[in-house]
Amino acid sequence: MTTTPLLLITADPSHPLAHLALRYARAYLKSASADHNIDSHADDIVNKEDIDNPITKRPLLNVFFYGDSAHLANRLRWQSADQMNLTKEWQILAEQYQLPLPVCVSTALSRGVSDTDNSTRHQLDGDNLATGFTLVGLSELALMMQDGCRLIQF
């Protein structure tokens, strides 16, 4: 069994590493999904059950946004027309590959990014979490890191 890589993204959206993380994720997912399609035609019953069963299906790639990368989850983040909108690009990639986009809740809140539940809990005036992103605790990152994952930080 191969391990699912984990991209730990910590760079601010304006940093070149944030752009590199997106390019890496795109290239990896394109390659992995091509390999997955080849494997899905095999007659191996165990693999076929894993592919058909959404409960046992493992993601092709794990992503976790931490620190300054939490700014990516802000739906009110404006981007000039001459710059790539990383928030929208991550949303497109997530939709295309059914990729979860978890963001550390404490780093998001400290940077002014909140969902409805946390806005209510902390008496904030509104929410601004972009569609497709979810606020999660660090336990989610710990779960992704078990089983000897390959961690790549941007």
Side-chain angles (χ1 to χ4, degrees), residues 48-126:
K48 178 145 180 43
E49 286 174 356
D50 285 347
I51 291 165
D52 292 340
N53 184 350
I55 295 170
T56 60
K57 186 175 178 181
R58 295 173 57 101
L60 296 173
L61 178 68
N62 285 319
V63 177
F64 193 87
F65 297 92
Y66 186 78
D68 286 338
S69 71
H71 289 294
L72 283 168
N74 185 345
R75 69 177 166 82
L76 301 177
R77 189 175 151 286
W78 180 81
Q79 190 63 57
S80 63
D82 64 336
Q83 296 289 317
M84 180 189 304
N85 186 331
L86 287 178
T87 300
K88 292 230 181 277
E89 294 300 319
W90 275 109
Q91 290 170 318
I92 291 167
L93 194 65
E95 186 174 322
Q96 182 178 1
Y97 292 98
Q98 290 75 50
L99 182 69
L101 299 175
V103 183
C104 174
V105 64
S106 61
T107 62
L109 288 171
S110 70
R111 287 161 177 81
V113 178
S114 183
D115 59 6
T116 305
D117 291 341
N118 280 290
S119 291
T120 301
R121 182 179 305 120
H122 300 291
Q123 295 91 35
L124 302 174
D125 288 334

Side-chain angles (χ1 to χ4, degrees), residues 1 19 56 61 63 126 129 147-148:
M1 173 171 56
H19 294 266
T56 60
L61 178 68
V63 177
L129 185 67
D147 297 331

Side-chain angles (χ1 to χ4, degrees), residues 23-34:
R23 286 196 313 269
Y24 180 91
R26 276 187 186 143
Y28 182 85
L29 287 167
K30 183 177 180 182
S31 173
S33 68

